[in-house]
Amino acid sequence: MNVPFLNLPYQYSALREEILSAIDRLSQQGFFTLGAEVEAFEREFAKFSGLPYAVAVNSGTSALHLALLAARVGPGDEVITTSNTFGATVEAILYTGARPVFADIDPHTANLDPAKAAAAVTGRTRAILPVHLYGRPAAMDEFARLARERNITLVEDACQAHGARHHGKPVGDFSLASAFSFYPTKNLGAYGEGGAVVTADAEVAELIRSLRNHGQRGRYVYDRLGYNYRMEAFQAAILRIKLRWIEQWTEHRRQIGELYRERLANARLEMPADDPESRPVYHAFAIYVDRRDEVRQKLKAKGIQTAVYYSTPLHFQKAFAHFGSGQGSLPATERACSRVLCLPISPELTFEQAEYVADHLVEIVGRNA
Ligand SMILES: *Cc1c(COP(=O)(O)O)cnc(C)c1O
């Protein structure tokens, strides 16, 4: 059997007519950036996210940058975050002129550990930026308490967590502003780049609307230094079509996740614990195994594609290492990165394929005695 990690062309085949006609309609109207299509997507994505405002931008990285600017993060400030994430989390902090401060993850969840974050707070800490890694919500109510007690702003990296919930609230609702990505492989993916900032604060939404469009208030009135972070109308149209499917796709991901959990329960590997009061959306299904690369090769020999997010933590990367404290400074992160393996879990994956993956994996790693 052949099990691809993702199959975006297959997803397109079901949506092709609708997507082609939306692109044709916009081309005939001559609307290519921002405008009515982007505004309609913003309303629909805000509703889906359970927050009053969504501001669409050109990438998740831009969304993070603007969310941090809205939190008044700037030079001289520190922002506490995880090293077990995509580089954009830390790039966005550096774009503001602030300094990233790495705190370790909770080994049971792979997300930023609130106790480790609390220990990293200094007089310069302006914000904490937890990441909902693999679509599994970070311990946001604990971060919210910490932020209140220490007078720190929260910003969420929800780039992998469309539709995730934590303790009765949607992700994004715990902080001043949250960033989502619509990179093609994300749970909600554009046909190119895209992102959004979601917020409950009307002033923050207004500020971000201005920042993404050259700092303008109205046309050719520049109130502040801004950016060209506008979303393209084609991407908004494609995202609107896909948004109608995301709940169904997410349910499928969750069922595959359950199947993996059941079939792998006794296998000689670790799976991060899910909080029973959270709704993870399984952007990825991560397991942790010894001799990860060998296991990966053996799965590949059976036709099973896997991925490794992320094999090298950010505090070991040349671009960011000088903000960290080197080998051994974040032991849970370092252990997770050396052992993580992500199994296929896309909406296109069949249950038969998932069973095939799980059964071969058990055969390769063995069962606990
Ligand atoms: C994808 C991603 C980003 C960046 O999003 P882009 O749209 O690729 O710029 C940031 N953080 C995390 C955790 C991501 O997965």
Side-chain angles (χ1 to χ4, degrees), residues 11-49:
Q11 189 181 83
Y12 175 61
S13 61
L15 306 174
R16 183 165 179 266
E17 301 280 306
E18 235 183 319
I19 287 175
L20 289 180
S21 88
I23 286 174
D24 186 53
R25 168 173 55 82
L26 289 166
S27 302
Q28 297 212 44
Q29 292 168 344
F31 287 155
F32 299 108
T33 191
L34 295 181
E37 196 69 24
V38 172
E39 285 166 23
F41 171 66
E42 289 177 336
R43 282 192 298 275
E44 290 162 13
F45 190 69
K47 183 158 182 261
F48 164 77
S49 302

Side-chain angles (χ1 to χ4, degrees), residues 7 22 29 75 98 116 147 156 239 249 263 308 325 328 335 363:
N7 192 348
Q29 292 168 344
K116 296 282 159 51
E156 284 160 79
L239 290 166
W249 289 339
R263 295 223 166 197
V308 176
S325 304
R335 180 174 153 85
E363 211 175 287

Side-chain angles (χ1 to χ4, degrees), residues 130-204:
V131 178
H132 305 301
L133 195 69
Y134 313 134
R136 300 174 57 262
M140 289 313 300
D141 40 7
E142 289 178 57
F143 286 113
R145 190 173 337 116
L146 172 64
R148 255 193 324 270
E149 282 169 11
R150 307 296 296 266
N151 197 23
I152 296 165
T153 305
L154 285 183
V155 173
E156 284 160 79
D157 182 338
C159 285
Q160 302 183 359
H162 317 69
R165 298 181 67 82
H166 177 74
H167 295 199
K169 286 210 292 188
V171 300
D173 202 9
F174 294 87
S175 51
L176 182 73
S178 313
F180 287 85
S181 167
F182 308 123
Y183 184 76
T185 60
K186 297 288 157 82
N187 290 24
L188 181 63
Y191 283 4
E193 307 283 344
V197 181
V198 164
T199 179
D201 185 314
E203 276 175 38
V204 165

Side-chain angles (χ1 to χ4, degrees), residues 49-271:
S49 302
L51 275 106
Y53 307 100
V55 183
V57 294
N58 61 347
S59 73
T61 308
S62 302
L64 279 169
H65 182 195
L66 297 190
L68 290 165
L69 290 180
R72 310 281 169 201
V73 171
D77 294 332
E78 292 175 355
V79 178
I80 297 169
T81 194
T82 166
S83 174
N84 185 27
T85 182
F86 184 58
T89 312
V90 163
E91 285 174 324
I93 295 168
L94 291 168
Y95 294 165
T96 68
R99 181 186 172 85
V101 174
F102 295 115
D104 209 356
I105 57 170
D106 175 343
H108 302 294
T109 67
N111 278 321
L112 188 63
D113 184 335
K116 296 282 159 51
V121 172
T122 71
R124 291 174 182 271
T125 306
R126 165 73 61 169
I128 302 176
L129 177 56
V131 178
H132 305 301
L133 195 69
Y134 313 134
R136 300 174 57 262
M140 289 313 300
D141 40 7
E142 289 178 57
F143 286 113
R145 190 173 337 116
L146 172 64
R148 255 193 324 270
E149 282 169 11
R150 307 296 296 266
N151 197 23
I152 296 165
T153 305
L154 285 183
V155 173
E156 284 160 79
D157 182 338
C159 285
Q160 302 183 359
H162 317 69
R165 298 181 67 82
H166 177 74
H167 295 199
K169 286 210 292 188
V171 300
D173 202 9
F174 294 87
S175 51
L176 182 73
S178 313
F180 287 85
S181 167
F182 308 123
Y183 184 76
T185 60
K186 297 288 157 82
N187 290 24
L188 181 63
Y191 283 4
E193 307 283 344
V197 181
V198 164
T199 179
D201 185 314
E203 276 175 38
V204 165
E206 255 336 282
L207 174 62
I208 289 171
R209 267 179 230 290
S210 167
L211 287 170
R212 75 161 167 195
N213 194 13
H214 301 285
Q216 292 175 97
R217 171 175 48 86
R219 191 170 268 205
Y220 310 129
V221 182
Y222 303 100
D223 275 357
R224 52 180 67 81
L225 174 66
Y227 304 86
N228 178 359
Y229 284 174
R230 297 180 296 238
M231 177 175 273
E232 294 176 1
F234 283 174
Q235 303 306 340
I238 290 162
L239 290 166
R240 290 183 72 197
I241 292 164
K242 288 193 169 194
L243 193 55
R244 300 208 299 273
W245 291 89
I246 187 154
E247 271 309 317
Q248 197 172 315
W249 289 339
T250 299
E251 268 319 305
H252 188 78
R253 286 177 187 270
R254 289 172 52 80
Q255 284 171 18
I256 299 274
E258 245 167 70
L259 184 154
Y260 280 151
R261 273 190 190 286
E262 277 167 27
R263 295 223 166 197
L264 299 175
N266 283 317
R268 212 172 293 147
L269 52 80
E270 289 161 41
M271 291 179 274

